[in-house]
Amino acid sequence: MAAFRRRRTPPPLPIRDGLNPSRARVPEGTRLTALEFLSHLIGSQRHRHPQDDAQAILRRFHEGAVRLRDATRLAPEDVLRPGADVWFYRTPAPETPVLHQVRIVHEDDSLLVVDKPPFLATMPRGEHITETATVRLRRSTGNNDLTPAHRLDRLTSGLLLFTKRPEVRGAYQELFASRRVTKTYEAIARYDAHLAHLCATSGLRWASHMTKTPGDLQARVWPEKEPNAHTTVLGIRPLSQGNRAMYTLRPHTGKTHQLRVHMAQAGVPIEGDPLYPAVDPGPEDFDRPLRLRAVGLSFTDPLSGQEREFRV
């Protein structure tokens, strides 16, 4: 019998200016008014807009922009039930602009496939809210239903697939989650004759066990554990300038920083990588991007059954 995915209840506030509303749960064992709770949330934000003050918080209540799950409008003096979910809008702090543009590669009734530049996050997170591909595209197209079916690291450039309608979103997100998409990447790094020989003769495949803890900059490798990250090197092509090469990579799993870790482990860290093999404590340099690019996506379309391929 086929399993049916339960449709999630939409948030009680709509997407506004390309941004989803935020949700926060009232802690158990507390007795707070809505104003006290929201003031604490806004005041404790690590990246807070300098003008998001007490008056701005009150303005949210007056505009009906603070609500419970059932869309009940909250007044500042309302006492919140512990465990209740409160929905509201955050005000993004100023961000350093990413000057590179998002280029559209393909568009149809269901999908928008783009070429994402480096330094632009896929979705809002942490200090990167408006300088994200999702918010930029929602604002430029006017389609607030645009949702990425997968993610690229902020420093990684290349193909990123968005769904345009809520009713098709789950099918494509499941396609990526179940690893039924073939992904191809290109990375520029130092040329290694030994690796090139192995790749050309017996083939080259990397496997290791990786974990990435939120808050830690680097992923961790556990040599004693069963591999959970697998990458095939499809080709190594020397470049004309310097002792450099283009590495064509195919990840078979989707661990965070997988390709960056595997390249560094092989002794050929990717050009412009500020994390591997060692963390660069210096400021971010927009003129020295990570030379890792998603260049190919191919899959059997979950709706039409047709074979689809996108390349840059």
Side-chain angles (χ1 to χ4, degrees), residues 207-243:
S208 53
H209 189 102
M210 297 181 195
T211 58
K212 176 70 166 60
T213 302
D216 290 348
L217 294 177
Q218 290 183 319
R220 185 172 179 181
V221 176
W222 306 82
E224 70 279 7
K225 293 187 177 182
E226 187 74 19
N228 64 356
H230 302 268
T231 301
T232 297
V233 183
L234 300 177
I236 302 175
R237 176 171 56 86
L239 298 177
S240 57
Q241 295 179 336
N243 187 36

Side-chain angles (χ1 to χ4, degrees), residues 137-296:
L137 287 167
R138 283 176 176 175
R139 290 177 174 180
S140 65
T141 64
N143 181 2
N144 278 330
D145 288 328
L146 279 177
T147 304
H150 62 117
R151 298 189 185 193
L152 287 179
D153 286 347
R154 190 176 73 90
L155 298 185
T156 303
S157 61
L159 290 171
L160 189 58
L161 185 146
F162 288 79
T163 59
K164 296 174 62 177
R165 298 180 288 127
E167 56 268 30
V168 304
R169 183 180 303 159
Y172 290 97
Q173 288 179 337
E174 177 61 26
L175 187 73
F176 281 88
S178 60
R179 300 174 186 169
R180 288 181 285 135
V181 177
T182 300
K183 304 175 183 179
T184 306
Y185 290 76
E186 289 181 345
I188 295 178
R190 179 182 61 83
Y191 176 72
D192 187 300
H194 177 64
L195 292 178
H197 175 73
L198 288 176
C199 184
T201 55
S202 58
L204 189 55
R205 186 182 176 103
W206 296 322
S208 53
H209 189 102
M210 297 181 195
T211 58
K212 176 70 166 60
T213 302
D216 290 348
L217 294 177
Q218 290 183 319
R220 185 172 179 181
V221 176
W222 306 82
E224 70 279 7
K225 293 187 177 182
E226 187 74 19
N228 64 356
H230 302 268
T231 301
T232 297
V233 183
L234 300 177
I236 302 175
R237 176 171 56 86
L239 298 177
S240 57
Q241 295 179 336
N243 187 36
R244 304 158 73 229
M246 179 74 75
Y247 291 74
T248 303
L249 310 171
R250 176 154 296 161
H252 303 284
T253 49
K255 296 300 177 183
T256 301
H257 296 177
Q258 176 177 321
L259 299 180
R260 299 164 67 178
V261 172
H262 275 158
M263 289 285 286
Q265 279 192 306
V268 285
I270 300 171
E271 284 187 8
D273 196 333
L275 295 182
Y276 302 97
V279 175
D280 180 356
E284 198 164 64
D285 185 355
F286 280 19
D287 293 326
R288 191 172 182 267
L290 176 70
R291 301 303 297 269
L292 176 63
R293 183 167 171 79
V295 297

Side-chain angles (χ1 to χ4, degrees), residues 98-119:
V98 177
L99 300 180
H100 303 293
Q101 299 301 309
V102 183
R103 183 176 67 89
I104 295 178
V105 174
H106 169 85
E107 184 172 10
D108 57 39
D109 289 341
S110 298
L111 301 179
L112 181 70
V113 184
V114 302
D115 183 2
K116 183 189 81 68
F119 301 106

Side-chain angles (χ1 to χ4, degrees), residues 26-180:
V26 181
E28 297 291 340
T30 60
R31 182 177 174 82
L32 297 170
T33 66
L35 178 60
E36 290 171 331
F37 183 55
L38 193 60
S39 296
H40 170 73
L41 291 174
I42 301 299
S44 59
Q45 279 185 247
R46 184 178 177 184
H47 305 286
R48 180 182 180 182
H49 196 289
Q51 296 178 354
D52 201 2
D53 54 14
Q55 290 301 314
I57 293 173
L58 282 173
R59 205 156 41 240
R60 289 174 169 87
F61 288 99
H62 297 155
E63 294 172 352
V66 186
R67 303 202 177 202
L68 295 175
R69 162 60 77 180
D70 63 2
T72 298
R73 292 178 57 160
L74 288 171
E77 65 276 10
D78 288 338
V79 177
L80 299 175
R81 176 179 56 82
D85 287 334
V86 176
W87 295 79
F88 63 100
Y89 293 110
R90 295 185 187 271
T91 302
E95 300 176 41
T96 302
V98 177
L99 300 180
H100 303 293
Q101 299 301 309
V102 183
R103 183 176 67 89
I104 295 178
V105 174
H106 169 85
E107 184 172 10
D108 57 39
D109 289 341
S110 298
L111 301 179
L112 181 70
V113 184
V114 302
D115 183 2
K116 183 189 81 68
F119 301 106
L120 195 69
T122 297
M123 296 183 68
R125 184 178 180 183
E127 62 185 296
H128 307 289
I129 305 298
T130 58
E131 288 301 303
T132 60
T134 299
V135 173
R136 271 200 190 181
L137 287 167
R138 283 176 176 175
R139 290 177 174 180
S140 65
T141 64
N143 181 2
N144 278 330
D145 288 328
L146 279 177
T147 304
H150 62 117
R151 298 189 185 193
L152 287 179
D153 286 347
R154 190 176 73 90
L155 298 185
T156 303
S157 61
L159 290 171
L160 189 58
L161 185 146
F162 288 79
T163 59
K164 296 174 62 177
R165 298 180 288 127
E167 56 268 30
V168 304
R169 183 180 303 159
Y172 290 97
Q173 288 179 337
E174 177 61 26
L175 187 73
F176 281 88
S178 60
R179 300 174 186 169
R180 288 181 285 135

